[in-house]
Amino acid sequence: MGDRIHSGHDWMESIAIGASLLCLVHCLILPVAVALLPALAAFVALPEALHIWLLGFVAPVAGLVLLSGYRVHRDHRPPVAGALGLVLLAFATLFFPETVLDMLLSTVGSVLLVRAHLLNWTCRHGCRR
């Protein structure tokens, strides 16, 4: 039973890490590409609500994975880093859309989320505080 729990957590953690990394790539590369290649903007027209949809996916998955990991390892660092990352992503999405501050907050928030998930993974697999 314990192995199935670990494999389920690992699967969800992998999805969460992948989503956070995709967010980071999106935040860093897409604006630069659009700025350098204005014609690309016509082909990569993303709906304005995309960031809200992504936040609606990322927040519950990250919350579930980080809190369930906390129940196993009792290390507060992963959920705290993850919560801070989610707050930064939410602020960027809801209050500063399509601005330089949006890109900055989203990038830092994504890095924090990736760090939180990697630390959560490590702690679930036997970290010692």
Side-chain angles (χ1 to χ4, degrees), residues 19-29 106-108 110-111 114:
S20 298
L21 287 172
L22 283 174
C23 182
L24 183 60
V25 168
H26 167 78
C27 293
L28 293 175
I29 294 180
S106 295
T107 300
V108 174
S110 296
V111 168
V114 169

Side-chain angles (χ1 to χ4, degrees), residues 20 24 62 66 77-89 104-120:
S20 298
L24 183 60
L66 293 171
R77 296 172 300 166
V80 168
L84 183 56
L86 288 172
V87 165
L88 292 176
L89 288 173
L104 178 65
L105 292 174
S106 295
T107 300
V108 174
S110 296
V111 168
L112 279 170
L113 267 179
V114 169
R115 175 70 177 126
H117 288 298
L118 291 174
L119 184 58
N120 197 49

Side-chain angles (χ1 to χ4, degrees), residues 63-109:
L64 176 67
V65 170
L66 293 171
L67 290 177
S68 65
Y70 175 77
R71 288 180 25 200
V72 171
H73 52 69
R74 296 293 186 201
D75 189 326
H76 68 279
R77 296 172 300 166
V80 168
L84 183 56
L86 288 172
V87 165
L88 292 176
L89 288 173
F91 265 80
T93 300
L94 300 173
F95 300 114
F96 305 105
E98 307 298 323
T99 65
V100 172
L101 194 52
D102 172 22
M103 190 169 82
L104 178 65
L105 292 174
S106 295
T107 300
V108 174

